[in-house]
């Protein structure tokens, strides 16, 4: 079985027959997840050079399945280097040796809140109690050089959230992150790491890493064995906010990583909570700034539970139940025709390149200017993107590199 | 000269002739203040037993001048005990010996922001640099048992406000109040005390009291020699908020006096600023609660100056200039007829008593039910109030005692 284009419902699709088709496919997918062969293809495509999440989903829509997209890669303007089957098999085997899971978007074990994010990771590696990622989650994040009081507060807050059935997620960094994991560990805590789930970082958190791998869960977008690098952290932060219903910033200096996570949270429509602190402590600056900009002032777990109340009701956390209909990570883009009309004519490609410039332009505007179908433009842009000639920007904008 | 009823403009008065009359009287009053004899009468009436600020202004409107009101007191249902002329002369002489001032509502030296408050004190006693009370003011208040950090913050904040031309007002209590006065002393600070301006309280603030009497100003509603009592403090707090453009709460426990001041400030339409603090410190509870309810988060003097910006522009602080047209402390009550129609007929009085009960009722509703004129009802209520039979409540409500 292949995941057909139809399993990537365009959000606008609303006719009775489309709804029925979508429901049917979701039931099929959520009942058992991907076949082993499909899982391998998803892994290969997601790990292929130049294929980020947005491109991944675009390829899947364009070619109908990961296998078909892998077949097509060499024919595209500038072939993306696909991950070899052998490397993918090695990665899967390594995950299995850790008793871990490779979870693909849309599968029953894929966290439902994260599934709704436009650039959700197509595949996640999880070790530990993977079922924890299906419970309602709240992220507790903050400064690495946190004060003793800040760490104590984070630990107690996480413990209280845990007692209320919330799984506490954080980044397994020093300071607030570590304190939050510790506080929630016996109720359930999930670490989202920037490198591979098997890489301990920082070294001082080794014991906590081992405890989370056993009693909690550790989750990563990057392959096993990846040493975390500076550029990985912002991408990791989007998962911390995206997987949670809300994030709590405990202590954070101005311009700190926690504020990046808070910005992602706002973009993703998540609740942002901030713990006030004295203006005399620079570690309060970030959280106080968030409060000034409308974050919910947080002194106790009750402040969070009250605010999230409506979101916590009617959540289907038990592992056996499918995630609540996630919207497609493709967002409100034009639907690709199911037939996959072939439009890679040079003339059309030249026309699009002529209309593009280094200044980002809306895809809708491009469609209008080129007088091509939305589907044809989407396909051509995808090819140009894979060829490294087009760059995508937030808000469905594109520019020439 | 007597202050005629016309000098207490009803806020609704808007005809060209009324406006002209009001402007004429304000010019007369603000150019030189009250005559010595009038000042004595104001003092006597305001210090008469059972005559609070609201009643004071009602009497003034009803009888046209303090002297006429004093004459009428014995004829009222239950005569209020007027302050004797001799006692008033003694009080004035004592104030003079302290180089102090008795400032009456509407006089050039009466603080304009306070003048706009419904129950503004009819007379104020001020020692020190009385002209400081004409500058734009900000109140800085907080806990008596403040932390060292809180006191440091209050002192630095007050100094910064002082450097920006703001006079810092506070309550001369221990902790935050004392720190705020200290920080602003060399630029200008005003203490509003609950007892008489000559009473040092608490004893540990003796040096600060003396410094404020010399380099700043100390202001009180109560007569010289009054020892402050518990019931005086909330009334004092309404002056702290009423005299200022805004109040800053630095550290305040839940249910503390600073929160009472903040509530007055909201009722009076003042800006409320609060300094965030750690949830682990109970002294942060009050300020954090204010932030939760919409107070402006304050980390620096800049946060205050930005928010007050529009209020600070166009302020006429120099002592020679009259306060910007204060609205009558009578608020939006019905205007009393200038002729002062006599309506104290027993029938009307009985009718009103019949309609009243211990449950507060709106004066407007009473007017409708009694089918009397608003002016007549106001006069009758005033007599009943002076007789101790009627109690007034916020929102222009009255009840039977």
């Amino acid at each position: 079985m292949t995941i057909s284009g139809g399993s990537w419902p365009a959000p606008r699709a609303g006719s009775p027959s489309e709804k029925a088709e979508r429901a049917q496919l979701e039931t099929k997918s959520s009942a058992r997840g991907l076949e082993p062969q499909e899982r391998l293809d998803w892994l290969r495509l997601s790990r292929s050079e130049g294929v980020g999440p947005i491109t991944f989903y675009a390829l899947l829509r364009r070619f109908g399945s990961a296998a078909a997209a892998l077949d097509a890669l060499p024919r595209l303007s500038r072939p993306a280097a696909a991950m070899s089957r052998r490397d993918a098999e090695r990665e899967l085997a390594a995950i299995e040796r850790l008793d871990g899971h490779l979870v693909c978007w849309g599968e029953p074990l894929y966290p439902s809140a994260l599934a709704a994010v436009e650039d959700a990771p197509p595949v996640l590696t999880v070790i530990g109690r993977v079922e924890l990622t299906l419970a309602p989650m709240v992220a507790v994040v903050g400064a690495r050089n946190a004060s003793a009081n800040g760490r104590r507060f984070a630990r107690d807050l996480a413990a209280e959230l845990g007692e209320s059935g919330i799984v506490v997620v954080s980044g397994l960094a020093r300071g607030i992150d570590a304190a939050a994991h510790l506080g929630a560990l016996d109720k359930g805590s999930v670490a989202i790491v920037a490198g591979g789930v098997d890489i301990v970082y920082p070294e001082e958190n080794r014991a906590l890493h081992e405890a989370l791998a056993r009693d909690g869960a550790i989750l990563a977008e990057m392959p096993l064995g990846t040493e975390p690098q500076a550029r990985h952290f912002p991408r990791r932060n989007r998962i911390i906010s995206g997987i949670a219903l809300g994030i709590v910033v405990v202590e954070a200096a101005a311009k700190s990583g926690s504020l990046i996570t808070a910005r992602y949270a706002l973009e993703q429509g998540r609740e942002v909570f901030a713990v006030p602190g004295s203006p005399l402590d620079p570690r309060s600056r970030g959280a106080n700034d968030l409060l000034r900009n409308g974050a919910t002032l947080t002194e106790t777990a009750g402040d969070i539970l009250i605010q999230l109340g409506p979101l916590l009701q009617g959540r289907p956390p038990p592992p056996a139940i499918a995630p609540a209909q996630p919207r497609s990570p493709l967002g409100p883009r034009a639907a690709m025709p199911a037939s996959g009309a072939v439009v890679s004519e040079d003339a059309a490609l030249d026309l699009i390149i002529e209309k593009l410039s280094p200044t980002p332009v809306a895809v809708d505007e491009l469609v209008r200017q080129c007088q091509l179908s939305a589907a044809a433009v989407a396909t051509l842009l995808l090819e140009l993107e894979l060829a490294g000639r087009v760059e995508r920007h937030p808000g469905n904008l594109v520019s020439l590199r």
Side-chain angles (χ1 to χ4, degrees), chain A residues 30 107-113 129-138 162 164-167 187 190 243 245 309-325:
Chain A
S30 57
E107 290 195 302
L109 286 174
Y110 198 97
S112 60
R129 295 167 56 200
V130 65
E131 74 278 8
L132 286 177
T133 65
L134 299 177
M137 290 196 225
V138 167
S164 306
I166 304 271
V167 166
K187 298 292 176 186
V190 173
I243 207 169
L245 300 175
L311 294 173
L312 294 174
Q313 284 159 9
R315 289 261 321 182
I321 296 176
Q325 299 208 350

Side-chain angles (χ1 to χ4, degrees), chain A residues 62 76-77 336 341-353 356 366 370 372-387 389-390 392:
Chain A
R62 169 69 182 84
L76 293 168
S77 310
M336 200 74 84
V342 181
V343 265
S344 71
E345 300 146 24
D346 287 351
L349 214 53
D350 288 349
L351 182 61
I352 285 199
I353 290 170
L356 282 169
L366 205 60
C370 296
L372 293 169
S373 75
V377 170
T379 303
L380 294 167
L381 282 174
L382 177 58
E383 300 208 356
L384 288 168
E385 200 183 338
L386 288 167
R389 300 193 60 182
V390 156
R392 288 198 183 267

